[in-house]
């Protein structure tokens, strides 16, 4: 089965991945939109991934808070409904299981590639903004590293540190959602495969395509 095959969401299941994709949770099929992967889950995953990495508590909160952190910026305002910011709309079911399924393999692949490329682009933007944290001599620029007053996650130019946090948060959100909204780590449910019981891929490896858009299938 193609590893990009992605199911719709309904219930969360835990899985044990770490590293570049941090931690993950996976969900199994649904016929209606689901909002099960909440800000609290994003916060838990992000704090688990970054908490031991030497982040200052204030910076960690600015990134990981489940209500107002950069990690959930994609879940607010107009960003919530943009599918590629959540690796949505990439579900696919082979016609042999249900000939009525409304999305082709090519359409599903295009949706997930959009998500992957958008995630990588956010990380690249964060790296570019990080260059403004220091001057030409490598000295920290205090005005660019402050997060007081609080950063606004509005995708607009601002203090360098705010831009770094926002772009990392938006890019990492997509990686977390890839696991939560896809069947990459799902175990196949008992019974026949169909719309209500989509296939689980049972993958335990980290998807290489988040490292570079050039490697996306």
């Amino acid at each position: 089965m193609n590893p990009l095959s992605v199911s719709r969401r309904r219930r969360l299941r835990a899985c044990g991945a770490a590293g570049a994709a941090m931690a993950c949770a996976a969900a199994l099929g649904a016929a209606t939109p689901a909002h099960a992967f909440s800000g609290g889950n994003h916060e838990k995953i992000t704090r688990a991934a970054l908490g031991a990495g030497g982040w200052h508590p204030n910076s960690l909160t600015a990134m990981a808070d489940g209500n107002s952190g950069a990690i959930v910026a994609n879940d607010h305002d107009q960003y919530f409904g943009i599918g590629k910011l959540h690796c949505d709309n990439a579900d696919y079911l082979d016609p042999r299981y249900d000939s009525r399924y409304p999305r082709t393999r090519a359409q599903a692949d295009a949706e997930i590639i959009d998500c992957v490329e958008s995630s990588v682009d956010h990380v690249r933007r964060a790296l570019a903004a990080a260059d403004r944290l220091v001057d030409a001599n490598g000295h920290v620029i205090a005005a660019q590293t402050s997060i007081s007053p609080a950063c606004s996650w509005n995708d607009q130019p601002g203090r360098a540190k705010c831009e770094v946090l926002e772009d990392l948060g938006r890019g990492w959100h997509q990686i977390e959602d890839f696991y939560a909204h896809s069947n990459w780590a799902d175990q196949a449910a008992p019974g026949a495969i169909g719309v209500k019981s989509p296939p689980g891929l049972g993958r335990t490896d980290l998807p290489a395509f988040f490292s570079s858009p050039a490697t996306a299938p």
Side-chain angles (χ1 to χ4, degrees), residues 83-104:
K84 72 177 182 179
L85 300 184
H86 311 277
C87 286
D88 282 343
N89 306 320
D91 52 311
Y92 169 75
L93 192 66
D94 193 288
R96 61 183 161 154
Y97 299 119
D98 191 328
S99 61
R100 301 165 297 172
Y101 208 73
R103 187 169 291 111
T104 67

Side-chain angles (χ1 to χ4, degrees), residues 2-39:
N2 188 307
L4 286 179
S5 180
V6 180
S7 67
R8 292 179 184 268
R9 307 171 255 163
R10 182 171 61 196
R11 63 182 184 273
L12 293 175
R13 305 178 69 172
C15 66
M22 299 186 276
C24 64
L28 292 176
T32 57
H35 311 301
F37 203 65
S38 67

Side-chain angles (χ1 to χ4, degrees), residues 146-172:
S146 174
I147 54 173
S148 181
C151 302
S152 297
W153 317 127
N154 55 12
D155 207 24
Q156 297 296 317
R159 285 163 284 160
K161 185 166 182 177
C162 291
E163 290 186 35
V164 170
L165 291 174
E166 179 170 10
D167 277 307
L168 286 179
R170 290 189 186 278
W172 289 344

